[in-house]
Amino acid sequence: TCYNSLKSAHEGFLGAFQMRKVSVFSQDPAFVAITEQALKPECLVKIFSQPDKLLDHLKERSADLVIIDNDRDNAQGLQHYKSVKTVMPRAKVIMVSALNDVSHAVLSTKLGVSDYLNKPLESEKLSQAAGRIFAALSDISALVIPEAYRPFWKGASTSLDNFLAQLHEAAASEKDIVLFCEPGVPGHQLAEIIHLNGPARKKDLSVLDLSSFEKESSESMFWNSFKQMVGEDLQEISGNQVPAGTVFMDGLYSLPEHFRSSIVDFFSGRKPGERTAGAPRIVLKMSKTEEARQDSERLKGVFFDLYAPALRERREDIPVIASELMKKYCSKYGKSVNAAANDVLNMFISYDWPGNYEELDAVIGNSVLRARSSCVMSYDAPIDLKMLLASSLREALSDNDHFLVSAQNTFKRNLISLLSECSGKDMEAVSKFLDSPKNLLLDDPRPL
């Protein structure tokens, strides 16, 4: 089967990620009924009667809105609120109380509660309060992000939510930044976002690719280039001499060890806040390796550490990212592809994406180009054995079946199914490709 549209807010797995997600803590059945009446079907509403269950849920799945019904104890309600903010710092929270305590309402508002409502409560009033929060809520609304960069930074995962908050804090600060990225994470995009949201946004962003200085004889050339970007004098830089507002330094780990160490030594030798007013901010890209961690330790206090999330840490955002990338490639190739088959999307979500965002971008682009209809099917997507293996293993584990033979049988069925789709149901061709008798392929092994 195929999802009718990646835009749909109500159809299938993908649509669920485009609806507002609301988590409700309440032990009052009447209030639960009012909440569901106010927010369904426009929102995905999950009800929790135990605070621990709510917190466990928020650790795994973020929410656009949390509603806390502290019907019996205002002090306990505030404690629940603080616990929610600990797990999810940017959570938008509506507090509801039947105790009509003005001082508690004032205190809750000062602590950051988005809205405070008293019982008895009509569903329309709750709907209006949620609507105001949703109207002002956007996962990237607090940041200036170029339109071309938005596909990767949309979603509702806790990982993305926390990263955007840290990125906003880093951009607004005066500190230089160490940007930790795995391969395939677009560091240049993030450097530009930092620049556009920083105090020097009206100046230029310069890129210094350190890999072009990898020869030992190029070290002096690097320092000359660096001086030109930050000013003739590294110690005394006047505002009139600075051609750039931000300098993004990439390719640090392509350099010889002594060369790399000299760059880290230069920055670590400065004291916090020593950067002269008007000097460009440095965004230094580092890898997430033990070697990089040791280097970053030398920059503690001088640089702001910003860790970009890997795509595997944002599995629930993959449908949204895929949707945005499909729009991009439909425009590029003049096609009308707006959907993905269930098995394709499940493989995308199961896969670990060692190439991260750049790998997903390439796969979606290839899928749209090869799609024979408005829906990407398994024979359109460049699915390899690694994706198929990840999907099969996830499927076996989701059934709470940890036997190796079960995972093997699941992989066999999925592989045969994929090859069958790609060959137009020609099992003779599949048999030849796998060098296996046709009758064995037609057997349907079941997990033990």
Side-chain angles (χ1 to χ4, degrees), residues 223-295:
W223 288 112
N224 288 332
S225 299
F226 186 74
K227 287 179 182 180
Q228 290 176 7
M229 286 187 171
V230 302
E232 288 301 317
D233 192 321
L234 291 178
Q235 303 301 324
E236 298 179 2
I237 307 170
S238 70
N240 294 330
Q241 292 176 301
V242 179
T246 304
V247 176
F248 175 51
M249 299 177 67
D250 195 3
L252 181 65
Y253 289 89
S254 64
L255 300 178
E257 185 177 355
H258 76 277
F259 189 176
R260 185 186 76 246
S261 184
S262 71
I263 293 174
V264 176
D265 284 343
F266 168 74
F267 289 120
S268 64
R270 297 189 301 180
K271 297 177 182 178
E274 188 178 62
R275 182 160 55 90
T276 307
R281 162 184 279 173
I282 303 300
V283 178
L284 180 61
K285 181 182 173 184
M286 285 192 177
S287 57
K288 291 183 178 179
T289 62
E290 179 60 26
E291 191 177 36
R293 189 194 66 78
Q294 292 176 2
D295 286 339

Side-chain angles (χ1 to χ4, degrees), residues 32-325:
V32 168
I34 290 172
T35 301
E36 293 181 332
Q37 180 183 351
L39 301 178
K40 286 185 175 181
E42 289 78 12
C43 301
L44 289 173
V45 181
K46 287 199 172 289
I47 308 296
F48 300 90
S49 59
Q50 300 177 33
D52 290 346
K53 296 290 186 182
L54 169 65
L55 296 177
D56 288 343
H57 175 77
L58 294 177
K59 288 176 184 176
E60 298 295 326
R61 306 276 186 179
S62 65
D64 296 303
L65 174 63
V66 178
I67 300 175
I68 298 176
D69 175 20
N70 56 313
D71 201 25
R72 299 174 179 142
D73 188 334
N74 280 338
Q76 192 175 53
L78 274 181
Q79 186 56 51
H80 294 330
Y81 168 73
K82 292 175 182 177
S83 298
V84 166
K85 295 293 279 187
T86 299
V87 172
M88 190 178 159
R90 296 179 70 203
K92 302 297 181 182
V93 179
I94 293 178
M95 185 82 78
V96 181
S97 176
L99 302 180
N100 199 20
D101 185 341
V102 175
S103 62
H104 181 262
V106 172
L107 178 58
S108 299
T109 303
K110 286 183 177 179
L111 289 175
V113 169
S114 302
D115 208 338
Y116 191 99
L117 304 175
N118 287 310
K119 292 183 178 180
L121 183 65
E122 297 178 355
S123 62
E124 184 178 353
K125 191 171 182 179
L126 179 58
S127 178
Q128 290 172 350
R132 288 192 294 269
I133 291 173
F134 294 153
L137 182 66
S138 172
D139 52 352
I140 55 176
S141 62
L143 293 164
V144 176
I145 298 182
E147 193 63 35
Y149 298 166
R150 286 176 175 260
F152 289 152
W153 311 114
K154 285 190 173 183
S157 66
T158 300
S159 180
L160 177 64
D161 193 64
N162 291 336
F163 171 66
L164 291 174
Q166 293 168 3
L167 192 152
H168 191 269
E169 182 183 353
S173 75
E174 294 290 337
K175 281 188 175 183
D176 295 325
I177 296 169
V178 172
L179 177 61
F180 293 93
C181 296
E182 289 188 2
V185 175
H188 184 277
Q189 280 192 17
L190 294 173
E192 187 167 348
I193 293 169
I194 289 168
H195 174 69
L196 292 173
N197 291 275
R201 63 180 69 88
K202 293 183 179 179
K203 297 181 181 180
D204 293 331
L205 168 70
S206 294
V207 177
L208 193 56
D209 183 2
L210 299 177
S211 63
S212 60
F213 302 98
E214 60 184 345
K215 294 182 180 178
E216 293 192 20
S217 59
S218 300
E219 188 167 352
S220 59
M221 190 184 303
F222 159 76
W223 288 112
N224 288 332
S225 299
F226 186 74
K227 287 179 182 180
Q228 290 176 7
M229 286 187 171
V230 302
E232 288 301 317
D233 192 321
L234 291 178
Q235 303 301 324
E236 298 179 2
I237 307 170
S238 70
N240 294 330
Q241 292 176 301
V242 179
T246 304
V247 176
F248 175 51
M249 299 177 67
D250 195 3
L252 181 65
Y253 289 89
S254 64
L255 300 178
E257 185 177 355
H258 76 277
F259 189 176
R260 185 186 76 246
S261 184
S262 71
I263 293 174
V264 176
D265 284 343
F266 168 74
F267 289 120
S268 64
R270 297 189 301 180
K271 297 177 182 178
E274 188 178 62
R275 182 160 55 90
T276 307
R281 162 184 279 173
I282 303 300
V283 178
L284 180 61
K285 181 182 173 184
M286 285 192 177
S287 57
K288 291 183 178 179
T289 62
E290 179 60 26
E291 191 177 36
R293 189 194 66 78
Q294 292 176 2
D295 286 339
S296 68
E297 283 294 320
R298 297 161 62 189
L299 300 174
K300 284 291 185 186
V302 180
F303 278 63
F304 189 111
D305 288 351
L306 181 62
Y307 293 83
L311 189 56
R312 66 179 177 277
E313 298 169 357
R314 299 178 52 200
R315 293 187 194 277
E316 65 181 278
D317 292 336
I318 288 176
V320 176
I321 299 172
S323 172
E324 294 297 317
L325 291 175

Side-chain angles (χ1 to χ4, degrees), residues 393-431:
L393 183 59
R394 195 177 181 90
E395 183 181 338
L397 291 175
S398 67
D399 293 333
N400 292 320
D401 192 339
H402 299 164
F403 289 105
L404 177 60
V405 68
S406 300
Q408 290 173 328
N409 289 338
T410 301
F411 175 72
K412 178 181 176 181
R413 287 199 308 274
N414 290 343
L415 176 60
I416 293 171
S417 175
L418 176 62
L419 293 175
S420 174
E421 290 289 333
C422 292
S423 66
K425 309 292 185 182
D426 186 348
M427 294 306 296
E428 290 287 351
V430 174
S431 174

